Amino acid sequence: MSKHLIDQAMQLLRANDRGTYTVPTYGLYPFQWNWDSVLSALGFLHFDEDRAWTEIETLFDNQWEDGMVPHIIFHEHDEGYFPGPDVWRTGRKVPTSGITQPPVAGFAVRRMLERAEQREDATRRARALLPKIHAWHEWFFRCRDPQGTGLVAIIHPWESGRDNSVDWDAAFGRVPTDGVEAFTRRDTSHANPDHRPTDEQYKRYIWLVQKFRSLGWDNSKLHDASPFQLVDPGFNAILTRSCSDLAELADALGEPEIAAQSRNFAEKSLAAMDTLWSEKWGQYLCRDRAIDELVDSPSIGGLLAVFAEIPAARAKVVAKRIAKLGELANFLVPSHDPSVPEYDGMRYWRGPAWLIVNYMIADGLARAGETAIVNRIKADSVKLIEESGFAEYYDPITAEPCGGGQFSWTAAMVIEFLDERVTA
Ligand code: GLC
C-alpha cells in the first residue's frame, strides 16, 4: 500500500512539474508559490535530486534585491488567477507578488544536503543557496522587526500561509475596504466557495495590496504603514528553525560568519517567542502588534511553534494540547480548535487539517521526544490520503477532501511520511 501511494505521489509531482518549478495544483494555483515549492522539493529529493535543487534555485532566482523572496512567481500568463501581475504591479522582469511567505528554505536545504546521494553536486548547490537564504533572513529582521524585538510580523494574511485563519479576524476588521478596485475572484470557480475565504475578506486582502503598491513596494516603509501587523508564532518558529538550520549548514560548508549571525537570530527569536505563550490554552498565540495585545485565538499557528527549539517543558504541554484536540477531531491536526464557535471544518485555515503543518509539527515533537503523539499525527496523515486522496486540505472530523485536488505539497509530505516505512 505504502509503495503504491508513493508511486501515486511521485506521478502527481511529475504532472505538476513545469520544468523548473512546480505548480501547487493545476487550475487553482497556476504559478510558483514560495513555501509550496520548497516543501515540494523535499518530495522530489526522494526520486530526482537534480529536480529538487532546481525547484529551490528557481525560487531564489526571483529573490528581490533587498533580500525578500516573493510569495508567488508568475512564470506564465494565466487569466485563471486573481490577483495577477496587473494587480500587484511590482515591476519585476519575471512578475512576482510583493509580499513573502513562511521561510522554510533554511530548514529544507539543510535536510536536502544531509540526505542527498550526489554529494558533490548537492554541496555545490547548497553553497550557492546559503548566502541567498541568509539575505532573506536578514531582510526579515530588518524589515519586519524594525524595533528589534526578535519576532517578525506579517503585514498581509497571505504571508502567513494561513490565509483566512481566525487569528487575523480582529486585526483584519481594522483594514478598510474603501477604494478597493472592482475585481472578479477566480478561486471560487476552481474550488467550492464554502471551502474558501469570503468576499469581504477578499476586499481587505486587496486593500492591503493596493496600499503597499501605492508605496512602491518599498519594504523600508511597508511594515510601519500597514494597519495589519501580526506576530504569528508558527511563522516565527519556521524562521527561527530555518536560522538555526542555516547555522548548521553554514558550519558544515565553512562559512563561520553566516553561522554566527544565523545563530544570533535564532537565539534572540527563541527567547522572544516565550512572550507569546498562553497558560490558558497551553499553547502559543499571535500578538497583534498594532495594538500590542495577544490574540485570544487557539489556532494551529501556536502549535506549529514546536517546529522551533522551544523549551522541552513547553513542547510537552503543546503535545498534551494536541492529544486533547485528538479527542475532538478524528484526524490530527485541526487548524483551529473544534470546541470554539469560530471553528469551520471545511473552510481553509479555520478548521481543516493540512499535511504540511502536520509534517512540521511532527518533526518538532519528534525532536522533543513526544513519540506517541508524533505517531498519531503521522498515522492520521496517511489515513487522510488513503481515504480522500491528495487534497489541498481535509475536514478533520469527516476526512472529506477540501479545496483543490492533486496537490503537490500534500504529495511531497506523503512521500516524506511513508518513505521511512518503506525503507525501514
Ligand atoms: C493558499 C494557502 C497557502 C499556499 C497557497 C498555494 O494561499 O493558504 O499557504 O501557499 O494556497 O498552495
Side-chain angles (χ1 to χ4, degrees), residues 299-341:
S299 83
I300 202 165
L303 309 174
L304 179 54
V306 296
F307 193 49
E309 284 141 335
I310 56 165
R314 295 276 192 245
K316 204 172 243 353
V317 179
V318 173
K320 274 210 194 106
R321 164 105 180 108
I322 296 177
K324 263 247 140 347
L325 292 173
E327 293 167 14
L328 301 169
N330 296 321
F331 301 91
L332 286 172
V333 181
S335 50
H336 208 71
D337 185 330
S339 71
V340 303

Side-chain angles (χ1 to χ4, degrees), residues 24-25 28-29 33-36 71 81 101-102 157-158 160-164 196 348-349 354 356 392 407 409:
T25 185
L28 184 61
Y29 300 116
W33 262 257
N34 187 323
W35 73 324
D36 294 63
H71 102 292
Y81 181 81
Q101 256 192 337
W158 288 341
S160 69
R162 300 188 293 116
D163 302 13
N164 68 337
R196 301 282 310 169
Y348 220 27
W349 290 98
W354 293 68
I356 32 134
E392 188 176 7
F407 238 80
W409 64 5

Side-chain angles (χ1 to χ4, degrees), residues 401-419:
C402 303
Q406 300 299 301
F407 238 80
S408 296
W409 64 5
T410 306
M413 295 302 99
V414 171
I415 301 177
E416 281 284 276
F417 281 134
L418 289 178
D419 195 71

